């Protein structure tokens, strides 16, 4: 018969700086990166459901900021339409606010850091380093097909902006992944496979973060 017990703590001192922007609350942060349409948001929803993380999508936070009528709204909207990266201070403030008001201690930060400026500014301001970086690797051909079929009314899901987003990904975001790879922090996933198969690979990576483990005892 199975006994359900709390999983052992998986956060190490090396991964979390005690005096981060959340005071002495220890948090686990996973950066979720990959090209536009690689399936980051789709898999983050699965991770939330199975592993109890809170999903913070930088793109969603920026789109909410546009909708809220904030003074930065027009600037953010123009940059998103052009496939450009919004200045770090704006995005980091939104991420910080979201993390502070959430009681969870496990966050998936999706679509961030998108460039070197994002990365350095986040670490300087928050004093938080990611536990690891989940990288969804997919061909541009497949990502383009997915984005053109997404049909969520996004202003940047048109072929002209998609091509610009791909260019920004290669020029600005891949170097961030290389930065973390050099620190042995990147867990690369083949994101070209069907959604359930991708999640099987994701699950293997997140297994140590399960809220409960089931121990089977021989009777
Ligand atoms: N493995 C997959 N196979 C086929 N379609 C997928 C797969 N993963 C996601 N999709 C679909 O592709 C589209 C883009 O997925 P999703 O929004 O998760 O990507 P994303 O990486 O978060 O994109 P963006 O960076 O543009 O926000 C969605 O319509 C989603 O249903
Ligand atoms: N760190 C970020 C994340 C996103 N943006 C802007 C630019 C992106 O093209 C757009 C959509 O993001 P997505 O939902 O695809 O992750 O949002 C940014 O400027 N900085």
């Amino acid at each position: 018969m199975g006994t359900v017990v709390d999983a052992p703590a998986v956060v190490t001192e090396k991964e979390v700086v005690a005096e981060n922007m959340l005071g002495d609350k220890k948090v686990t942060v996973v950066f979720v990166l990959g090209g536009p349409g690689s399936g980051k948001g789709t898999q983050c929803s699965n991770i939330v459901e199975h592993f109890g993380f809170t999903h913070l999508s930088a793109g969603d936070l920026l789109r909410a900021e546009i909708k809220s009528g904030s003074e930065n709204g027009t600037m953010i909207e123009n940059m998103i339409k052009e496939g450009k990266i919004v200045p770090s201070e704006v995005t980091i403030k939104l991420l910080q606010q979201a993390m502070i008001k959430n009681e969870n201690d496990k966050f998936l930060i999706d679509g961030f850091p998108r460039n070197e400026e994002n990365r350095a500014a986040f670490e300087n301001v928050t004093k938080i380093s990611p536990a690891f970086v989940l990288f969804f690797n997919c061909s541009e051909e497949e990502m383009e097909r997915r984005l053109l079929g997404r049909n969520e009314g996004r202003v940047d899901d048109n072929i002209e902006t998609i091509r610009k987003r791909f260019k920004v990904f290669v020029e600005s975001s891949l170097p961030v992944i290389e930065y973390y790879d050099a620190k042995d922090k990147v867990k690369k996933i083949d994101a070209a496979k069907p959604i359930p198969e991708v999640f099987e690979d994701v699950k293997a990576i997140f297994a140590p973060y399960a809220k409960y483990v089931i121990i089977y005892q021989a009777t």
Side-chain angles (χ1 to χ4, degrees), residues 111-132:
F112 184 97
R114 272 301 220 273
N115 61 11
E116 176 56 21
E117 188 211 2
N118 273 186
R119 185 202 63 73
F122 183 85
E123 294 203 8
N124 284 337
V125 171
T126 67
K127 310 289 182 214
I128 293 172
S129 306
F132 62 89

Side-chain angles (χ1 to χ4, degrees), residues 36 40 57-60 62-63 79-80 83-87 91 110-114 118 150 154 156 165:
K40 302 180 293 297
S57 154
D60 285 352
L62 290 167
R63 283 183 285 274
M79 296 204 78
I80 287 181
K84 291 183 179 159
I85 299 173
V86 173
T91 317
D110 163 9
F112 184 97
R114 272 301 220 273
N118 273 186
R150 181 155 57 178
R154 276 180 52 162
D156 53 352
R165 290 158 71 198

Side-chain angles (χ1 to χ4, degrees), residues 62-63 65-67 72-84 86 155-156:
L62 290 167
R63 283 183 285 274
E65 189 68 358
I66 299 170
K67 272 201 186 145
N72 284 325
T74 309
M75 177 274 290
I76 297 171
E77 187 167 24
N78 288 336
M79 296 204 78
I80 287 181
K81 275 186 191 154
E82 282 302 309
K84 291 183 179 159
V86 173
V155 293
D156 53 352

Side-chain angles (χ1 to χ4, degrees), residues 86-166:
V86 173
S88 299
E89 67 213 55
V90 174
T91 317
I92 290 173
K93 194 167 153 221
L94 295 172
L95 287 169
Q96 265 188 300
Q97 286 169 346
M99 288 175 79
I100 287 167
K101 74 177 181 210
N102 196 299
E103 290 193 346
N104 201 348
D105 59 357
K106 298 188 288 187
F107 295 95
L108 296 171
I109 301 195
D110 163 9
F112 184 97
R114 272 301 220 273
N115 61 11
E116 176 56 21
E117 188 211 2
N118 273 186
R119 185 202 63 73
F122 183 85
E123 294 203 8
N124 284 337
V125 171
T126 67
K127 310 289 182 214
I128 293 172
S129 306
F132 62 89
V133 174
L134 189 62
F135 168 39
F136 290 102
N137 189 41
C138 194
S139 69
E140 286 192 2
E141 194 186 22
E142 173 63 15
M143 293 191 292
E144 183 179 304
R145 194 170 22 248
R146 292 179 188 176
L147 292 174
L148 291 174
R150 181 155 57 178
N151 209 15
E152 286 178 3
R154 276 180 52 162
V155 293
D156 53 352
D157 278 351
N158 58 79
I159 192 63
E160 199 188 328
T161 312
I162 288 169
R163 296 259 158 90
K164 288 180 183 166
R165 290 158 71 198
F166 286 163

Side-chain angles (χ1 to χ4, degrees), residues 179-187:
Y179 170 90
Y180 285 116
D181 197 29
K183 293 180 175 289
D184 238 4
K185 283 203 166 192
V186 175
K187 298 186 190 293

Side-chain angles (χ1 to χ4, degrees), residues 193-209:
K193 297 195 274 190
I195 294 171
E197 288 179 32
V198 176
F199 190 53
E200 283 306 307
D201 295 344
V202 168
K203 268 203 287 201
I205 289 169
F206 278 84
Y209 293 83

